[in-house]
Amino acid sequence: MHPHVKLDRVAAALKAKGFNFQEISELPSPTELEHRLSSACQLWVISSSYNRLERTHLKVIRKFFDDGGGLYLWGDNQPLFAEANFIAHALVGCQLTGDYPGGKNVEQRPPNRDFGPGFIRHFVMTGINQIFEGITIAAVTPAPQTIFPIVYGSAGNVVVAGYDQNGKRLLIDGGFTRLYNEWDTAATERYVTNAAVWLVNVDGDW
């Protein structure tokens, strides 16, 4: 949705992993969206400051999600999380909030520490020693019964969270600047390919 987010490196990384990547810069009609999703395994939404999605778009996205399609909802510092919040609140009851300083890499949390910055052990963090949190970021306000934290930013807020229930998987992320800043310094390429593989929601080796 956001017109200024550069996805060239994301596209190259996912294509190298074997994914067919299609970027849609203009909002499709609900009918066109449904058609495009009929041959897709996942949908990534890059949010803007103003939600242009309608309830009919949400109905299409909900059906895709309920049928097992993966969702990655990207936002950033306030107000750049409009579409992510529209979808996430409806589907899993969480949202992005705030405008927090970032700009740092975070490492895996020690197993005996349950506070502060860092990431937990999860498939999407496989092979990663540190990850860039984003420049200025939003935090995930989790729904405790559904969403689980994956990455805590340098301020201790949840930056990335996941949902994995009833055959449905979703990621929500408050730092889309990670997609085009510090790409080479903090394993972002490995992270986005891990995320895409996890969202396919099929066990097996890739």
Side-chain angles (χ1 to χ4, degrees):
M1 302 298 176
H2 195 291
H4 303 302
V5 176
K6 305 300 182 184
L7 298 177
D8 296 352
R9 288 182 165 182
V10 175
L14 295 181
K15 288 177 180 177
K17 191 65 175 177
F19 287 96
N20 179 19
F21 177 91
Q22 296 184 31
E23 183 176 355
I24 305 173
S25 57
E26 296 295 328
L27 180 65
S29 69
T31 300
E32 181 184 354
L33 177 62
E34 185 174 29
H35 173 71
R36 286 178 176 269
L37 291 179
S38 66
S39 59
C41 65
Q42 58 196 268
L43 172 67
W44 293 30
V45 177
I46 315 294
S47 296
S48 66
S49 59
Y50 176 75
N51 177 41
R52 294 177 294 142
L53 294 170
E54 300 174 356
R55 290 290 173 183
T56 45
H57 289 103
L58 180 60
K59 182 178 179 180
V60 171
I61 294 170
R62 183 189 295 275
K63 183 179 186 307
F64 176 74
F65 182 58
D66 287 344
D67 289 343
L71 292 178
Y72 202 137
L73 306 177
W74 292 87
D76 211 77
N77 60 274
Q78 186 177 356
L80 299 172
F81 42 55
E83 292 89 354
N85 281 356
F86 179 67
I87 299 169
H89 185 266
L91 299 188
V92 296
C94 73
Q95 62 182 355
L96 295 167
T97 61
D99 187 346
Y100 300 96
K104 297 179 180 178
N105 295 339
V106 297
E107 301 178 346
Q108 183 176 327
R109 273 185 174 181
N112 60 345
R113 194 181 77 200
D114 60 0
F115 62 91
F119 57 84
I120 67 168
R121 294 184 64 183
H122 187 272
F123 181 89
V124 299
M125 308 309 299
T126 302
I128 294 174
N129 296 318
Q130 59 179 359
I131 187 169
F132 181 61
E133 61 185 327
I135 297 176
T136 308
I137 57 181
V140 183
T141 302
Q145 302 303 316
T146 59
I147 293 291
F148 57 89
I150 298 176
V151 179
Y152 294 85
S154 55
N157 298 309
V158 179
V159 180
V160 183
Y163 175 95
D164 185 6
Q165 294 187 27
N166 303 316
K168 298 180 283 189
R169 288 181 176 177
L170 175 150
L171 293 168
I172 183 168
D173 195 315
F176 68 49
T177 48
R178 187 182 323 121
L179 296 175
Y180 55 92
N181 281 281
E182 304 296 330
W183 178 271
D184 297 319
T185 64
T188 305
E189 179 174 348
R190 180 65 184 266
Y191 173 77
V192 297
T193 55
N194 285 352
V197 170
W198 185 73
L199 288 171
V200 171
N201 204 4
V202 176
D203 293 334
D205 295 329
W206 279 71

